[in-house]
């Protein structure tokens, strides 16, 4: 999830609707795969939740969260 709320899957831009379809196809081949939700530290929390919800509805059962961390000042 980018700062502007846009989404990508494996570095390819994707809409929220297409994210669910793509993940459904991916987990049909690899049902035990871990999905890492990587979010920009300034991304809107609601967009992260929407992405996770789409993944869950697609059948994803294993999640990990990652974020870009701010530089220590």
């Amino acid at each position: 999830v980018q700062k502007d709320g846009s989404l990508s899957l494996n570095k390819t831009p994707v809409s929220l609707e297409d994210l669910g379809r793509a993940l459904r196809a991916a987990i049909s081949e690899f049902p035990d795969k871990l999905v890492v939700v990587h979010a920009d530290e300034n991304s809107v929390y609601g967009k992260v939740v929407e992405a996770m919800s789409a993944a869950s509805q697609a059948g994803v059962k294993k999640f990990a969260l990652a974020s870009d961390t701010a530089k220590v000042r």
Side-chain angles (χ1 to χ4, degrees), residues 46-57:
K47 291 294 183 180
V48 176
V49 172
E50 286 177 355
M52 292 181 68
S53 178
S56 180
Q57 290 175 15

Side-chain angles (χ1 to χ4, degrees), residues 20-30 58:
R21 283 189 282 268
L23 287 172
R24 194 172 298 110
I27 64 164
S28 70
E29 294 181 47
F30 306 101

Side-chain angles (χ1 to χ4, degrees):
V1 180
Q2 304 302 317
K3 180 170 59 172
D4 66 359
S6 61
L7 303 171
S8 60
L9 179 61
N10 294 328
K11 298 184 181 183
T12 301
V14 65
S15 69
L16 185 61
E17 295 78 22
D18 290 339
L19 176 65
R21 283 189 282 268
L23 287 172
R24 194 172 298 110
I27 64 164
S28 70
E29 294 181 47
F30 306 101
D32 292 328
K33 270 295 195 192
L34 173 71
V35 171
V36 177
V37 179
H38 186 101
D40 182 278
E41 71 175 300
N42 295 310
S43 62
V44 177
Y45 180 73
K47 291 294 183 180
V48 176
V49 172
E50 286 177 355
M52 292 181 68
S53 178
S56 180
Q57 290 175 15
V60 173
K61 303 213 183 314
K62 296 179 183 180
F63 292 93
L65 296 175
S67 69
D68 294 334
T69 55
K71 294 179 182 175
V72 176
R73 296 171 197 181

